[in-house]
Amino acid sequence: MTTYCGYIALVGRPNVGKSTLLNHILKQKLSITSRKPQTTRHSILGIQTEQAHQFIFVDTPGIHQGHKKTLNKMMNKTALNVLRDVDVIVFLVDGHHWTDEDDYVLKLIKRTETPCILAINKIDKLQSKDKVLPIISKLNELHDFNAIIPISAQNGSGVQSLLSEVKQQLPESPHYYGEDQFTDRPTKFLCAEMVREKIFRLSGQELPYSTTVDIESFKEEENLFEIHALILVDKPNHKRMIIGDKGVKLKEISTSARKDMEKLLGKKVFLRCWCKVKSGWLDDERLLKHLGYDN
Ligand code: GDP
Ligand code: MG
């Protein structure tokens, strides 16, 4: 059997639905935890194998505007390198609004020669299907896209068409990962991300990159995992926001993260979370490397 395998960068500004789309694509595999160690070219987010075709979705850590902080600088350099190196880019936008941040991502894409598929997400929010045509023709002017596909990451419509467009760009190649492998990231990293996700969701405010999570201890006992997560913030008022009144917020964050971890690990989890202020961590290159932000 001829096999195909390639790297796909899923890019777009915050909130366009990247995580929702990826979860939709990988959903049936989210509970599998087996992983084989592999050497990788990129930081990999998700792997999906459909018979002859293996899709490897790679992370382009925060394509962000602003160049002041070391973290942003590192990330933008990484982002451009990733975009140049993958086989295909999926550029996710929200059909309703085009913002400066979308423009910024498009500029990065234009600095590459990589084939790019535009996915217009959240079409379930459009009142009628006719409304999508003018959006498509407008966005078509912006770049020489290989395809433009309207989708809803939430209900899955259009996602198969998107994947078949992506498929056509995957080069002939052996598969790099096992059929049932869905990520190459260490479990510890996924657990840290789970805590981070809850902070984003539950703190009611976006604190992108001013909060990070370090799993300080990760022990597997017979019946449970004991996990200690340290939440690092940049400012004392952020710490107050995360801890909340009488610690209620932090409790909520850790309960919700613990449930996700139990699903992932298939065992009971004892999770301890605490929060510490470390001013200037955004500029601390050594700490960032320790936390896995370098590529
Ligand atoms: P990301 O920041 O790009 O990863 O975006 P998320 O996947 O976290 O999604 C941001 C918000 O948009 C969440 O509240 C999602 O539930 C919502 N969302 C994502 N995809 C869709 C969609 O297709 N339709 C609708 N109505 N909402 C969506
Ligand atoms: Mg996301």
Side-chain angles (χ1 to χ4, degrees):
M1 180 169 73
T2 313
T3 58
Y4 304 83
C5 179
Y7 292 90
I8 304 126
L10 190 59
V11 298
R13 65 172 162 84
N15 272 318
V16 293
K18 297 178 297 298
S19 302
T20 310
L21 176 61
L22 198 70
N23 283 339
H24 187 89
I25 294 168
L26 303 176
K27 89 178 149 255
Q28 66 276 38
K29 304 203 168 173
L30 274 178
S31 57
I32 298 170
T33 56
S34 73
R35 59 175 278 276
K36 298 167 206 141
Q38 296 272 354
T39 48
T40 56
R41 291 196 294 163
H42 303 297
S43 78
I44 290 177
L45 215 60
I47 303 156
Q48 168 80 354
T49 309
E50 294 178 357
Q51 290 98 37
H53 293 83
Q54 184 160 76
F55 303 77
I56 305 173
F57 293 93
V58 304
D59 197 358
T60 40
I63 295 184
H64 278 267
Q65 285 183 295
H67 300 271
K68 278 195 206 104
K69 301 279 185 190
T70 309
L71 177 60
N72 277 335
K73 263 194 259 167
M74 277 166 72
M75 285 188 156
N76 285 309
K77 209 172 110 223
T78 308
L80 189 59
N81 286 338
V82 172
L83 294 185
R84 285 186 170 147
D85 211 18
V86 294
D87 299 295
V88 51
I89 298 168
V90 172
F91 179 25
L92 205 62
V93 299
D94 179 332
H96 289 85
H97 337 266
W98 182 270
T99 71
D100 287 353
E101 283 178 303
D102 292 308
D103 247 343
Y104 179 76
V105 179
L106 182 65
K107 276 203 191 106
L108 282 180
I109 292 171
K110 283 183 177 295
R111 288 170 66 186
T112 74
E113 316 240 295
T114 314
C116 180
I117 297 165
L118 179 69
I120 304 173
N121 192 27
K122 309 197 185 183
I123 49 154
D124 54 292
K125 292 207 308 205
L126 295 179
Q127 283 129 354
S128 81
K129 282 203 167 155
D130 318 335
K131 295 248 155 67
V132 76
L133 288 173
I135 299 174
I136 291 177
S137 60
K138 210 174 96 208
L139 296 176
N140 190 32
E141 310 273 295
L142 297 175
H143 183 70
D144 188 13
F145 295 111
N146 286 60
I148 300 182
I149 318 277
I151 66 163
S152 166
Q154 201 161 64
N155 69 26
S157 80
V159 175
Q160 277 314 317
S161 318
L162 174 63
L163 286 179
S164 27
E165 286 294 337
V166 172
K167 235 180 206 178
Q168 293 178 33
Q169 306 294 336
L170 299 181
E172 205 177 309
S173 150
H175 291 179
Y176 300 142
Y177 295 93
E179 225 183 296
D180 57 1
Q181 194 171 356
F182 79 101
T183 186
D184 78 322
R185 281 305 182 99
T187 312
K188 225 171 110 168
F189 175 85
L190 297 178
C191 289
E193 287 291 289
M194 283 170 177
V195 177
R196 218 160 64 86
E197 186 199 83
K198 302 311 168 196
I199 295 168
F200 278 76
R201 291 220 178 138
L202 296 169
S203 64
Q205 186 176 348
E206 294 241 354
L207 305 166
Y209 304 110
S210 69
T211 306
T212 193
V213 177
D214 188 20
I215 302 294
E216 291 195 312
S217 145
F218 189 94
K219 276 187 245 153
E220 182 168 9
E221 312 281 341
E222 202 178 326
N223 301 316
L224 59 84
F225 281 90
E226 186 174 331
I227 299 170
H228 295 180
L230 173 65
I231 300 166
L232 281 176
V233 294
D234 207 31
K235 297 194 182 89
N237 67 317
H238 290 167
K239 178 172 171 174
R240 279 194 295 276
M241 279 169 51
I242 282 172
I243 291 179
D245 197 19
K246 295 189 180 119
V248 170
K249 189 58 75 187
L250 186 61
K251 184 103 196 284
E252 215 182 326
I253 289 167
S254 76
T255 303
S256 174
R258 174 178 55 78
K259 287 184 182 152
D260 279 5
M261 290 176 190
E262 289 179 341
K263 236 188 267 167
L264 176 78
L265 300 166
K267 247 190 206 184
K268 279 245 164 282
V269 169
F270 174 74
L271 174 65
R272 253 187 81 188
C273 291
W274 63 89
C275 185
K276 212 157 97 179
V277 181
K278 188 172 184 311
S279 296
W281 77 263
L282 285 162
D283 278 319
D284 187 337
E285 217 159 321
R286 237 183 71 214
L287 179 64
L288 290 173
K289 286 202 168 132
H290 166 72
L291 294 170
Y293 280 107
D294 69 316
N295 263 35

